[in-house]
Amino acid sequence: MNTLITFIENTTDRVMAEAMLSLMEKESIDELSPSRIIEASGISRSTFYRRYKDKYDLLNQIYQWLLDGTMMKVPGGSSFKNAFYILYETLRAYPVFFRNALSSCEPNALRWYILDRIYEMYEQILRAEGIDMSRPYYQLLITGFLNGAMELTCRWAQNGMKEDIDLLYRINFDLMPNEIQRIMALGYL
């Protein structure tokens, strides 16, 4: 079975995700229509729209299942480094799909969804370590760091994912502000 899909428990969601994965091996998310996903998955239009607002919502949910199995476990005590490697190895296993998924800059695009979810992860970790996340300083610090990390990931995907995951991890860690590095070193790495 497709390793990206193993994170999906519901059969209907899995069928739609498999259809999207297959279609996005040939075209970008912006080119893909919900009708094509519906046709390829064999589900009804009403089932699709009962579960998802649009094609971006389905794509974002696929990524959320991946995040739930990797990065979102970090605040609960899983290793950031291990989660990072599993996540990026999964991205690398589907280079065309993720190149096509991350190419969009539409308002509902995957890149913005990822930024929001990873921001929430860091916010949860920093709050647990006593950081006042209502302060604009920390909000902007995390936002700046994550935008740089996201741009790095998108460029990596667009350019064929040639760089080693060890290098990406080191660069992501080096981009991390010193204060956040210190907190992550308390037991999250």
Side-chain angles (χ1 to χ4, degrees):
M1 179 185 276
N2 181 320
T3 56
L4 182 58
I5 303 301
T6 59
F7 291 102
I8 305 171
E9 295 175 10
N10 181 283
T11 304
T12 303
D13 291 327
R14 189 177 307 118
V15 167
M16 287 188 282
E18 285 173 340
M20 179 174 254
L21 280 167
S22 176
L23 293 167
M24 285 182 60
E25 286 295 321
K26 299 169 194 81
E27 57 193 297
S28 75
I29 184 66
D30 292 337
E31 298 166 332
L32 183 60
S33 71
S35 296
R36 301 259 330 267
I37 299 166
I38 290 164
E39 181 182 324
S41 64
I43 56 130
S44 70
R45 187 171 200 76
S46 62
T47 298
F48 180 87
Y49 285 107
R50 197 170 33 252
R51 297 174 105 75
Y52 303 102
K53 293 182 293 190
D54 56 27
K55 61 187 178 181
Y56 298 101
D57 194 28
L58 172 58
L59 177 60
N60 293 343
Q61 185 57 57
I62 292 169
Y63 202 82
Q64 184 62 52
W65 286 310
L66 176 58
L67 285 176
D68 287 346
T70 57
M71 300 305 284
M72 294 310 177
K73 291 184 174 185
V74 174
S78 291
S79 160
F80 176 83
K81 186 174 186 177
N82 289 343
F84 184 94
Y85 275 79
I86 292 167
L87 176 64
Y88 278 77
E89 286 166 359
T90 304
L91 298 180
R92 182 171 263 163
Y94 304 93
V96 176
F97 173 77
F98 281 108
R99 182 192 68 223
N100 287 335
L102 292 168
S103 66
S104 179
C105 291
E106 293 293 321
N108 292 343
L110 181 61
R111 66 176 60 215
W112 312 130
Y113 183 82
I114 293 169
L115 282 170
D116 288 345
R117 298 294 78 76
I118 299 300
Y119 182 95
E120 289 172 6
M121 180 201 75
Y122 277 100
E123 184 176 45
Q124 187 177 357
I125 290 168
L126 295 174
R127 281 186 198 281
E129 296 300 328
I131 299 295
D132 179 4
M133 288 304 299
S134 67
R135 291 184 51 207
Y137 172 80
Y138 289 108
Q139 294 169 3
L140 294 170
L141 188 67
I142 293 171
T143 299
F145 154 58
L146 291 179
N147 274 286
M150 187 75 245
E151 183 62 25
L152 174 69
T153 299
C154 290
R155 285 179 187 230
W156 178 69
Q158 296 306 312
N159 294 326
M161 301 182 180
K162 297 174 192 133
E163 292 79 15
D164 189 67
I165 295 172
D166 286 325
L167 176 64
L168 291 176
Y169 176 78
R170 285 195 321 273
I171 291 170
N172 268 274
F173 189 78
D174 289 345
L175 286 172
M176 196 179 290
N178 291 336
E179 192 165 352
I180 297 173
Q181 282 183 10
R182 282 193 301 279
I183 289 170
M184 295 299 286
L186 295 175
Y188 297 98
L189 297 176

